[in-house]
């Protein structure tokens, strides 16, 4: 069974640009969550999508957005990039069943560097 | 707001030593508690979980008990191996919060042969 696939794995952008990251969840998983990982702030929740609807949103500015497609694949977008957006962006998928709440399967991440 | 506090690392142990990584939480209510592990070059993996007070989660020789009275969920292993070297994250979630996990800062474990 294929795991969570994130693309691209590495990318470099300059301030002011925008970036789109992609995530393909495990087959059959309908929930996709995004997390930002930085040395200073650790792992922080960005948002979660379930059946193409945003279910939860973390405390990030509106420059961070996402969406989910009918096949459960998800994308997140960051506009007007700032130096502080440099981070590892992790995608996680889950079955989203009550008993499995919190049991996430993470991808290896997309490492974004903003210059 | 809700938060998770872990002991700072790195924790350096010799092979076969006893491991404890402390984790305490602050939350209004009774969350479910998790330990995730991040091996070098890999994504985060769920290690174990506990959903109510006094529950013990266990996996791969690791254990953690949900202690409501001390709001703690310390991770233990009786005999660590070099392959256990990784970063360990404690996390909590509430039942009505989807998959919105609140993570601790992570503790790096280094096991020397």
């Amino acid at each position: 069974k294929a795991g969570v696939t994130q693309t691209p794995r590495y990318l470099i952008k300059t301030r002011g640009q925008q970036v789109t990251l992609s995530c393909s969840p495990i087959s059959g998983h309908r929930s996709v969550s995004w997390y930002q990982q930085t040395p200073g702030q650790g792992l922080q929740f960005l948002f979660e999508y379930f059946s193409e609807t945003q279910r939860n949103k973390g405390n990030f500015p509106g420059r961070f957005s996402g969406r989910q497609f009918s096949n459960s694949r998800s994308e997140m977008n960051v506009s007007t990039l700032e130096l502080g957006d440099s981070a590892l962006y992790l995608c996680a998928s889950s079955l989203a069943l009550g008993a499995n709440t919190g049991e996430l399967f993470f991808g290896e991440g997309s490492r974004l560097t903003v210059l | 707001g809700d938060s998770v506090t872990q002991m700072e690392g790195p924790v350096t142990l010799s092979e076969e030593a006893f491991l404890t990584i402390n984790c305490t939480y602050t939350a209004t209510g009774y969350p479910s508690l998790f330990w995730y592990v991040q091996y070098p070059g890999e994504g985060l993996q769920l290690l174990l979980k506990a959903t109510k007070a006094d529950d013990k989660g266990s996996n791969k020789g690791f254990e953690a008990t949900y202690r409501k009275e001390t709001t703690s969920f310390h991770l233990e292993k009786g005999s660590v191996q070099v392959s256990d070297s990784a970063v360990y994250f404690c996390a909590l979630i509430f039942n009505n919060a989807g998959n919105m996990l609140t993570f601790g800062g992570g503790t790096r474990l280094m096991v020397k042969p």
Side-chain angles (χ1 to χ4, degrees), chain B residues 34-52:
Chain B
F34 302 79
W35 278 100
Y36 276 83
V37 58
Q38 190 172 35
Y39 296 103
E42 298 183 18
L44 279 159
Q45 302 173 22
L46 176 64
L47 182 59
L48 53 83
K49 65 180 266 191
T51 58
K52 61 182 186 297

Side-chain angles (χ1 to χ4, degrees), chain A residues 46-50 52-57 64-66:
Chain A
L46 280 157
F47 25 65
E48 179 192 8
Y49 287 87
F50 178 80
E52 303 178 63
T53 301
Q54 188 179 86
R55 188 157 74 166
N56 288 293
K57 188 178 192 306
F64 291 80
S65 63

